[in-house]
Amino acid sequence: QATSVANAMLLFATAPFMAAVLGWIVLREPVRPATWVAITVAIAGIAIMVADKSGGVALKGSLAALGSAFGFAVFTVALRWGKSGEMLPSVFLSGLFGIIVTSGICLFLELSLVLSVRDGGIAMGMGVFQVGAGLILYTLGSRSLPAAELALLSLAEVLLGPLWVWLFIGETATLNTLTGGAVLLAAIAGNALSGKRRRPPPITSP
């Protein structure tokens, strides 16, 4: 709400960098050189996607987008840290934390906590399918992929975003979006194909 969608997408794409650094610091999890290259290429692809989108950029919105990227990186590293146990309850806990944080924000901004039937239905659908199911699959994948590669694969959301708005809203993709999306897809596919070691290194306790 405080910055452009393009700017928020680009800043959120820093999550793999944050996850790689946090994974190396907290888990002593090495990052393959090919993954670093793929992250760089992915960032370049997203930059191409948003290069033709202009709009005012507010500092508050930019900081919020970076905070979202950092939170996603922390969530990824936490999943890897607890991979030997059952981490699916963390998805439930994330929902509880989301309720607490969002309620606090609404109260601070003096926004109503009451939803209309239509908005409540949309929220429930997104909570179950768009967020809930996605986080469950992401959590299951965290058992066999390093933190940096998990975050990199999540960037496919940026690639598929233009497809969803085209299908449901009729918003057409620009040449920059198609070109950048192709670069991003190449980065994700290249990283997956370069991973000869299918199992990540064991996490050693500090």
Side-chain angles (χ1 to χ4, degrees):
Q1 293 180 345
T3 187
S4 65
V5 173
N7 186 64
M9 287 168 56
L10 180 59
L11 291 175
F12 185 79
T14 60
F17 286 107
M18 297 181 186
V21 173
L22 287 175
W24 175 73
I25 294 175
V26 177
L27 307 177
R28 296 294 185 267
E29 194 171 75
V31 180
R32 296 187 299 116
T35 298
W36 283 116
V37 173
I39 289 174
T40 304
V41 174
I43 294 294
I46 295 174
I48 295 174
M49 292 174 70
V50 302
D52 61 341
K53 298 175 177 64
S54 59
V57 177
L59 177 61
K60 184 168 61 174
S62 298
L63 291 177
L66 285 173
S68 177
F70 180 75
F72 190 71
V74 171
F75 178 68
T76 300
V77 172
L79 289 178
R80 287 290 299 142
W81 181 67
K83 75 180 184 67
S84 58
E86 181 55 70
M87 292 300 291
L88 283 178
S90 67
V91 178
F92 172 73
L93 291 176
S94 70
L96 293 182
F97 291 142
I99 292 174
I100 295 172
V101 172
T102 304
S103 298
I105 293 174
C106 288
L107 292 175
F108 178 77
L109 297 177
E110 298 182 348
L111 299 174
S112 174
L113 295 176
V114 180
L115 293 176
S116 66
V117 175
R118 177 180 181 274
D119 289 347
I122 293 174
M124 290 292 292
M126 291 184 64
V128 173
F129 300 104
Q130 193 264 341
V131 176
L135 285 180
I136 289 174
L137 293 175
Y138 191 77
T139 301
L140 294 174
S142 69
R143 298 177 179 177
S144 57
L145 284 175
E149 297 190 33
L150 271 172
L152 180 67
L153 286 171
S154 71
L155 293 183
E157 178 181 5
V158 180
L159 173 66
L160 294 173
L163 175 62
W164 303 142
V165 296
W166 174 70
L167 286 175
F168 295 102
I169 304 179
E171 182 178 294
T172 58
T174 64
L175 178 61
N176 279 48
T177 299
L178 296 175
T179 304
V183 173
L184 178 58
L185 180 60
I188 296 174
N191 179 70
L193 293 175
S194 67
K196 296 181 179 179
R197 185 188 68 250
R198 300 318 304 167
R199 299 178 65 86
I203 297 175
T204 57
S205 57

mmCIF file of all heavy atoms in Angstrom, residues 128-151:
data_model
loop_
_atom_site.group_PDB
_atom_site.id
_atom_site.type_symbol
_atom_site.label_atom_id
_atom_site.label_comp_id
_atom_site.label_asym_id
_atom_site.label_seq_id
_atom_site.Cartn_x
_atom_site.Cartn_y
_atom_site.Cartn_z
ATOM 1 N N VAL A 128 -6.297 -20.650 3.037
ATOM 2 C CA VAL A 128 -6.231 -22.105 2.879
ATOM 3 C C VAL A 128 -5.379 -22.500 1.679
ATOM 4 O O VAL A 128 -4.484 -23.352 1.791
ATOM 5 C CB VAL A 128 -7.647 -22.695 2.735
ATOM 6 C CG1 VAL A 128 -7.581 -24.186 2.391
ATOM 7 C CG2 VAL A 128 -8.431 -22.488 4.018
ATOM 8 N N PHE A 129 -5.624 -21.889 0.539
ATOM 9 C CA PHE A 129 -4.986 -22.336 -0.702
ATOM 10 C C PHE A 129 -3.731 -21.527 -1.051
ATOM 11 O O PHE A 129 -2.653 -22.089 -1.233
ATOM 12 C CB PHE A 129 -5.989 -22.279 -1.856
ATOM 13 C CG PHE A 129 -7.196 -23.143 -1.645
ATOM 14 C CD1 PHE A 129 -8.410 -22.581 -1.287
ATOM 15 C CD2 PHE A 129 -7.115 -24.517 -1.775
ATOM 16 C CE1 PHE A 129 -9.526 -23.374 -1.082
ATOM 17 C CE2 PHE A 129 -8.217 -25.324 -1.574
ATOM 18 C CZ PHE A 129 -9.428 -24.742 -1.228
ATOM 19 N N GLN A 130 -3.856 -20.205 -1.110
ATOM 20 C CA GLN A 130 -2.744 -19.393 -1.598
ATOM 21 C C GLN A 130 -1.598 -19.341 -0.598
ATOM 22 O O GLN A 130 -0.429 -19.341 -0.974
ATOM 23 C CB GLN A 130 -3.244 -17.976 -1.905
ATOM 24 C CG GLN A 130 -2.262 -17.134 -2.698
ATOM 25 C CD GLN A 130 -1.416 -16.252 -1.818
ATOM 26 O OE1 GLN A 130 -1.753 -15.983 -0.679
ATOM 27 N NE2 GLN A 130 -0.299 -15.813 -2.361
ATOM 28 N N VAL A 131 -1.910 -19.309 0.691
ATOM 29 C CA VAL A 131 -0.863 -19.220 1.714
ATOM 30 C C VAL A 131 -0.652 -20.564 2.401
ATOM 31 O O VAL A 131 0.465 -21.086 2.443
ATOM 32 C CB VAL A 131 -1.203 -18.136 2.763
ATOM 33 C CG1 VAL A 131 -0.154 -18.116 3.869
ATOM 34 C CG2 VAL A 131 -1.301 -16.765 2.102
ATOM 35 N N GLY A 132 -1.730 -21.130 2.943
ATOM 36 C CA GLY A 132 -1.598 -22.349 3.741
ATOM 37 C C GLY A 132 -1.004 -23.520 2.977
ATOM 38 O O GLY A 132 0.001 -24.109 3.397
ATOM 39 N N ALA A 133 -1.593 -23.860 1.830
ATOM 40 C CA ALA A 133 -1.094 -25.001 1.054
ATOM 41 C C ALA A 133 0.322 -24.746 0.563
ATOM 42 O O ALA A 133 1.170 -25.651 0.567
ATOM 43 C CB ALA A 133 -2.028 -25.263 -0.132
ATOM 44 N N GLY A 134 0.589 -23.501 0.149
ATOM 45 C CA GLY A 134 1.938 -23.181 -0.316
ATOM 46 C C GLY A 134 2.986 -23.346 0.773
ATOM 47 O O GLY A 134 4.067 -23.895 0.537
ATOM 48 N N LEU A 135 2.678 -22.878 1.989
ATOM 49 C CA LEU A 135 3.637 -22.998 3.088
ATOM 50 C C LEU A 135 3.843 -24.449 3.497
ATOM 51 O O LEU A 135 4.949 -24.845 3.888
ATOM 52 C CB LEU A 135 3.163 -22.176 4.290
ATOM 53 C CG LEU A 135 3.326 -20.658 4.186
ATOM 54 C CD1 LEU A 135 2.817 -19.983 5.450
ATOM 55 C CD2 LEU A 135 4.793 -20.295 3.944
ATOM 56 N N ILE A 136 2.781 -25.262 3.412
ATOM 57 C CA ILE A 136 2.924 -26.680 3.742
ATOM 58 C C ILE A 136 3.876 -27.357 2.760
ATOM 59 O O ILE A 136 4.799 -28.094 3.162
ATOM 60 C CB ILE A 136 1.551 -27.372 3.735
ATOM 61 C CG1 ILE A 136 0.725 -26.921 4.945
ATOM 62 C CG2 ILE A 136 1.711 -28.894 3.750
ATOM 63 C CD1 ILE A 136 -0.695 -27.442 4.953
ATOM 64 N N LEU A 137 3.697 -27.102 1.467
ATOM 65 C CA LEU A 137 4.590 -27.680 0.460
ATOM 66 C C LEU A 137 6.015 -27.162 0.634
ATOM 67 O O LEU A 137 6.986 -27.906 0.481
ATOM 68 C CB LEU A 137 4.062 -27.353 -0.943
ATOM 69 C CG LEU A 137 2.733 -28.002 -1.326
ATOM 70 C CD1 LEU A 137 2.266 -27.494 -2.684
ATOM 71 C CD2 LEU A 137 2.854 -29.527 -1.333
ATOM 72 N N TYR A 138 6.145 -25.884 0.936
ATOM 73 C CA TYR A 138 7.465 -25.282 1.148
ATOM 74 C C TYR A 138 8.155 -25.916 2.353
ATOM 75 O O TYR A 138 9.359 -26.195 2.334
ATOM 76 C CB TYR A 138 7.293 -23.777 1.365
ATOM 77 C CG TYR A 138 8.580 -22.997 1.333
ATOM 78 C CD1 TYR A 138 9.217 -22.697 0.132
ATOM 79 C CD2 TYR A 138 9.144 -22.522 2.508
ATOM 80 C CE1 TYR A 138 10.388 -21.967 0.102
ATOM 81 C CE2 TYR A 138 10.306 -21.787 2.491
ATOM 82 C CZ TYR A 138 10.923 -21.509 1.284
ATOM 83 O OH TYR A 138 12.096 -20.786 1.276
ATOM 84 N N THR A 139 7.382 -26.168 3.417
ATOM 85 C CA THR A 139 7.936 -26.798 4.622
ATOM 86 C C THR A 139 8.409 -28.214 4.322
ATOM 87 O O THR A 139 9.475 -28.643 4.773
ATOM 88 C CB THR A 139 6.875 -26.819 5.743
ATOM 89 O OG1 THR A 139 6.474 -25.473 6.024
ATOM 90 C CG2 THR A 139 7.437 -27.458 7.009
ATOM 91 N N LEU A 140 7.623 -28.974 3.557
ATOM 92 C CA LEU A 140 8.024 -30.332 3.182
ATOM 93 C C LEU A 140 9.293 -30.303 2.341
ATOM 94 O O LEU A 140 10.186 -31.140 2.507
ATOM 95 C CB LEU A 140 6.892 -31.024 2.416
ATOM 96 C CG LEU A 140 5.612 -31.316 3.218
ATOM 97 C CD1 LEU A 140 4.530 -31.873 2.301
ATOM 98 C CD2 LEU A 140 5.898 -32.276 4.359
ATOM 99 N N GLY A 141 9.416 -29.329 1.450
ATOM 100 C CA GLY A 141 10.606 -29.224 0.620
ATOM 101 C C GLY A 141 11.848 -28.846 1.396
ATOM 102 O O GLY A 141 12.972 -29.140 0.980
ATOM 103 N N SER A 142 11.667 -28.196 2.572
ATOM 104 C CA SER A 142 12.820 -27.748 3.360
ATOM 105 C C SER A 142 13.629 -28.915 3.914
ATOM 106 O O SER A 142 14.760 -28.730 4.364
ATOM 107 C CB SER A 142 12.346 -26.865 4.518
ATOM 108 O OG SER A 142 11.635 -27.635 5.489
ATOM 109 N N ARG A 143 13.068 -30.121 3.889
ATOM 110 C CA ARG A 143 13.786 -31.281 4.423
ATOM 111 C C ARG A 143 14.918 -31.734 3.526
ATOM 112 O O ARG A 143 15.823 -32.451 3.977
ATOM 113 C CB ARG A 143 12.803 -32.440 4.628
ATOM 114 C CG ARG A 143 11.697 -32.145 5.632
ATOM 115 C CD ARG A 143 10.717 -33.302 5.722
ATOM 116 N NE ARG A 143 9.667 -33.049 6.695
ATOM 117 C CZ ARG A 143 8.650 -33.870 6.931
ATOM 118 N NH1 ARG A 143 8.539 -34.994 6.248
ATOM 119 N NH2 ARG A 143 7.734 -33.548 7.835
ATOM 120 N N SER A 144 14.894 -31.352 2.263
ATOM 121 C CA SER A 144 15.884 -31.882 1.328
ATOM 122 C C SER A 144 16.600 -30.823 0.500
ATOM 123 O O SER A 144 17.395 -31.171 -0.359
ATOM 124 C CB SER A 144 15.219 -32.882 0.371
ATOM 125 O OG SER A 144 14.142 -32.257 -0.322
ATOM 126 N N LEU A 145 16.357 -29.527 0.774
ATOM 127 C CA LEU A 145 17.033 -28.477 0.022
ATOM 128 C C LEU A 145 17.655 -27.465 0.968
ATOM 129 O O LEU A 145 17.054 -27.130 1.992
ATOM 130 C CB LEU A 145 16.057 -27.749 -0.911
ATOM 131 C CG LEU A 145 15.629 -28.478 -2.188
ATOM 132 C CD1 LEU A 145 14.575 -27.655 -2.910
ATOM 133 C CD2 LEU A 145 16.816 -28.732 -3.105
ATOM 134 N N PRO A 146 18.854 -26.963 0.657
ATOM 135 C CA PRO A 146 19.474 -25.910 1.464
ATOM 136 C C PRO A 146 18.644 -24.644 1.458
ATOM 137 O O PRO A 146 17.831 -24.409 0.551
ATOM 138 C CB PRO A 146 20.826 -25.683 0.785
ATOM 139 C CG PRO A 146 21.085 -26.926 -0.004
ATOM 140 C CD PRO A 146 19.738 -27.427 -0.421
ATOM 141 N N ALA A 147 18.859 -23.793 2.471
ATOM 142 C CA ALA A 147 18.042 -22.591 2.641
ATOM 143 C C ALA A 147 18.103 -21.674 1.428
ATOM 144 O O ALA A 147 17.086 -21.154 0.966
ATOM 145 C CB ALA A 147 18.485 -21.834 3.901
ATOM 146 N N ALA A 148 19.310 -21.449 0.882
ATOM 147 C CA ALA A 148 19.459 -20.529 -0.241
ATOM 148 C C ALA A 148 18.694 -21.023 -1.463
ATOM 149 O O ALA A 148 18.064 -20.239 -2.179
ATOM 150 C CB ALA A 148 20.938 -20.349 -0.579
ATOM 151 N N GLU A 149 18.726 -22.340 -1.716
ATOM 152 C CA GLU A 149 18.040 -22.877 -2.882
ATOM 153 C C GLU A 149 16.526 -22.874 -2.686
ATOM 154 O O GLU A 149 15.759 -22.687 -3.636
ATOM 155 C CB GLU A 149 18.548 -24.287 -3.168
ATOM 156 C CG GLU A 149 20.027 -24.314 -3.530
ATOM 157 C CD GLU A 149 20.477 -25.668 -4.055
ATOM 158 O OE1 GLU A 149 19.665 -26.347 -4.699
ATOM 159 O OE2 GLU A 149 21.638 -26.019 -3.814
ATOM 160 N N LEU A 150 16.069 -23.061 -1.433
ATOM 161 C CA LEU A 150 14.639 -22.970 -1.151
ATOM 162 C C LEU A 150 14.113 -21.574 -1.487
ATOM 163 O O LEU A 150 13.093 -21.417 -2.154
ATOM 164 C CB LEU A 150 14.386 -23.261 0.332
ATOM 165 C CG LEU A 150 14.153 -24.719 0.743
ATOM 166 C CD1 LEU A 150 14.112 -24.813 2.258
ATOM 167 C CD2 LEU A 150 12.872 -25.248 0.144
ATOM 168 N N ALA A 151 14.836 -20.564 -1.013
ATOM 169 C CA ALA A 151 14.404 -19.191 -1.261
ATOM 170 C C ALA A 151 14.462 -18.859 -2.750
ATOM 171 O O ALA A 151 13.622 -18.111 -3.266
ATOM 172 C CB ALA A 151 15.265 -18.217 -0.469
#
